[in-house]
Amino acid sequence: MKDYLVLRVVSKLLIPFILLFGFYVQMHGDYGPGGGFQAGVIIASALILYAIIFNIGIARKAAPMWIITSISCVGLLLYVGVGIATMIAGGQFLEYGFLSTNSASGNHTGILIIEIGVGITVSAVMLMIFFSLAGRR
Amino acid sequence: MDILEQLNYWAAISLAMVGLFTIMSRGHLIKKLIGLSLFQTSVFLLFITIGKLSGGTAPIISKDFLYYSNPLPHVLILTAIVVSIATLAVGLALSVAIKRTYGTGEDDELEDLDRNEGEP
Amino acid sequence: MDQKKYKGEKKIDLYINIIILIFVLLTGIAAVWLRNLVASAMLLGIYSLLMATLWVVLDAVDVAFTEAAVGAGITTALLLFSIWLTGKHEKKSTKKPWLPLIGVIATGGLLIFGTIGMPDFGDPNAPAHLHVAPYYLQYSVSQTTSPNVVTAVLASYRGFDTLGEVTVIFTAGIGVLALLTGLRRRRRSQKLEIKK
């Protein structure tokens, strides 16, 4: 893609904003449309755009496969960890009310942490799928 | 019964049937996967149509609105879309692996290769 | 509910919905009709974008968001990469299409017969709107302090469900990784055996 000047310039401008928008969607999911699933896909798509337009080798070096696989495990473990934390606090599995003194605010914290876990796993899995499919002959 | 009222269901059914026909009649593995994703989207259309409430808005609670569409189908379909791309990726990886081991992605040729392998 | 206002809103929703549905059907049929797989993948991307607009019309903003990011973005990229790996032209199938056609028409006819009992478009008295949805809409702000009911239901009320979905996605990712990198390793070991 070395000859497409417009694509290169525009995507170089866009990628930081795509990442920022991804984080906004992640943290703002409980007030507007959005959440972990969408944010994960958007963050992954920023890296995929970089890999397609510029250089897949550099993108691979920036996110090596062993890091992506371990990050995807971290997201899922964060989700399960919240469930186990509520069990330790005295409730049942994923009963967020026990995360805080107040049931409503405990629910809010639980939702935020779980959405982060979902976002991490989804973005890591999307990158994992892309890097294993792309650029192989 | 007004025909216009049922049109969404009929569109979902015709999309599902187009997808099913593609899966059954086309030979290339990736074309089959495209048909499969059409089939999946038709199911999404059916669910979201059931969740629609006329006169309602998107289910984000605000003081300005009284009626909201049903949030439950939205939740089910939101997760289903992300799962659908993950399963589609597994299918694509399988077809890439088949192309590498057999040298072809066509249904008929794969069957021929398997038959010839059985009787050396 | 004010009956007059209710009717008017219903009509405009329905008409926009039908116009987008026609486009969706056309692009969907074109995507499976063409034998050039690259064109097929691009049409599938357009199809997903149209679907996303349809979700906005049907009030499912979260779903529209996901569909626009996943369907029009990442699916197209993955499809194009795997088409690049498997060849972009589809051969004409030697099978006769009549048997699948008859089966599909019969199934479709039966399903359309089944829609006779379905509720009308946007009917407020449909069974789907009477059971758990009013509970979620009424209590989600006081119980979870989250105005977006979809997020509240996704993460709190149906947390187990979402845990399952995330596990499915994780497993699918591991499956793709095992399929493609495992294959490379097997090839390498085959080459080594041939050298010996």
Side-chain angles (χ1 to χ4, degrees):
Chain A
M1 288 259 177
K2 268 180 185 152
D3 306 329
Y4 298 93
L5 187 67
V6 176
L7 277 183
R8 288 168 68 89
V9 171
V10 171
S11 53
K12 192 171 253 177
L13 278 176
L14 272 181
I15 284 169
F17 291 105
I18 294 176
L19 278 173
L20 192 64
F21 183 61
F23 288 117
Y24 167 78
V25 168
Q26 169 80 58
M27 302 318 286
H28 212 252
D30 42 351
Y31 292 105
F37 285 99
Q38 292 94 328
V41 174
I42 290 170
I43 292 170
S45 71
L47 251 167
I48 290 176
L49 179 66
Y50 181 84
I52 290 175
I53 298 285
F54 293 98
N55 190 343
I56 196 162
I58 297 175
R60 257 186 226 284
K61 254 181 218 159
M65 198 52 106
W66 67 273
I67 288 187
I68 297 176
T69 40
S70 22
I71 284 177
S72 70
C73 301
V74 165
L76 192 58
L77 287 177
L78 192 62
Y79 201 135
V80 180
V82 171
I84 291 173
T86 54
M87 279 169 84
I88 290 170
Q92 288 176 340
F93 189 67
L94 291 178
E95 195 177 355
Y96 310 131
F98 288 86
L99 288 176
S100 173
T101 49
N102 177 0
S103 168
S105 69
N107 259 306
H108 200 205
T109 335
I111 287 175
L112 272 182
I113 299 174
I114 273 184
E115 292 277 9
I116 289 172
V118 171
I120 290 172
T121 303
V122 169
S123 66
V125 166
M126 291 297 146
L127 284 177
M128 200 149 83
I129 291 169
F130 175 77
F131 280 137
S132 45
L133 265 178
R136 294 266 163 79
R137 263 283 188 191
Chain B
M1 188 187 75
D2 194 352
I3 289 180
L4 284 182
E5 308 279 352
Q6 309 282 332
L7 216 63
N8 270 36
Y9 303 124
W10 294 1
I13 289 168
S14 30
L15 273 179
M17 290 306 118
V18 168
L20 195 62
F21 180 71
T22 313
I23 296 168
M24 291 200 288
S25 69
R26 286 305 182 91
H28 201 280
L29 291 174
I30 290 190
K31 189 48 92 54
K32 278 178 196 283
L33 286 172
I34 290 176
L36 198 64
S37 71
L38 278 196
F39 198 105
Q40 282 174 326
T41 343
S42 79
V43 178
F44 304 160
L45 179 59
L46 180 69
F47 266 69
I48 301 288
T49 305
I50 289 173
K52 167 77 178 166
L53 177 75
S54 22
T57 54
I60 296 169
I61 303 286
S62 155
K63 276 174 197 152
D64 307 333
F65 299 105
L66 256 181
Y67 304 108
Y68 303 96
S69 285
N70 193 341
L72 190 56
H74 300 182
V75 174
L76 302 177
I77 296 313
L78 196 157
T79 50
I81 286 177
V82 185
V83 169
S84 86
I85 192 201
T87 48
L88 178 75
V90 175
L92 289 175
L94 271 173
S95 57
V96 168
I98 286 172
K99 165 81 178 175
R100 270 187 194 156
T101 19
Y102 285 81
T104 175
E106 297 279 346
D107 212 354
D108 310 342
E109 295 171 10
L110 285 174
E111 275 176 21
D112 287 347
L113 282 173
D114 268 352
R115 213 171 289 140
N116 293 340
E117 210 165 85
E119 34 185 272
Chain C
M1 200 182 289
D2 185 3
Q3 202 62 33
K4 236 179 188 172
K5 191 183 162 210
Y6 171 78
K7 280 253 169 175
E9 276 175 352
K10 179 175 185 166
K11 270 205 171 137
I12 195 74
D13 273 10
L14 193 58
Y15 291 149
I16 298 172
N17 168 46
I18 287 169
I19 291 167
I20 298 175
L21 265 183
I22 291 168
F23 281 115
V24 161
L25 275 170
L26 286 179
T27 42
I29 290 170
V32 296
W33 189 270
L34 292 175
R35 295 214 176 265
N36 185 347
L37 287 173
V38 176
S40 223
M42 296 316 288
L43 274 171
L44 201 69
I46 298 171
Y47 169 88
S48 288
L49 202 62
L50 282 170
M51 268 298 190
T53 45
L54 186 62
W55 301 151
V56 176
V57 174
L58 294 176
D59 290 342
V61 277
D62 285 85
V63 182
F65 210 150
T66 321
E67 177 87 42
V70 169
I74 292 189
T75 306
T76 316
L78 290 184
L79 267 176
L80 285 177
F81 271 104
S82 36
I83 287 167
W84 183 57
L85 288 172
T86 58
K88 68 176 180 182
H89 276 288
E90 184 191 4
K91 284 177 193 143
K92 217 168 162 61
S93 182
T94 52
K95 281 183 207 155
K96 294 271 182 294
W98 300 117
L99 195 64
L101 194 64
I102 292 169
V104 160
I105 289 175
T107 321
L110 278 176
L111 284 173
I112 285 180
F113 175 67
T115 58
I116 288 175
M118 295 292 273
D120 284 354
F121 178 82
D123 185 7
N125 294 318
H129 296 305
L130 301 178
H131 184 44
V132 281
Y135 178 86
Y136 290 149
L137 289 169
Q138 193 178 353
Y139 292 109
S140 94
V141 172
S142 62
Q143 284 180 349
T144 66
T145 67
S146 156
N148 186 356
V149 188
V150 174
T151 303
V153 176
L154 179 91
S156 184
Y157 293 109
R158 297 181 73 89
F160 270 41
D161 194 357
T162 312
L163 178 60
E165 309 273 10
V166 174
T167 317
V168 169
I169 293 163
F170 177 73
T171 318
I174 297 291
V176 172
L177 202 64
L179 266 171
L180 291 176
T181 54
L183 197 76
R184 210 168 27 139
R185 211 164 287 152
R186 218 174 302 142
R187 267 184 155 189
R188 206 180 293 148
S189 62
Q190 273 175 2
K191 271 179 198 162
L192 283 178
E193 274 175 22
I194 290 166
K195 270 181 193 168
K196 275 172 194 169

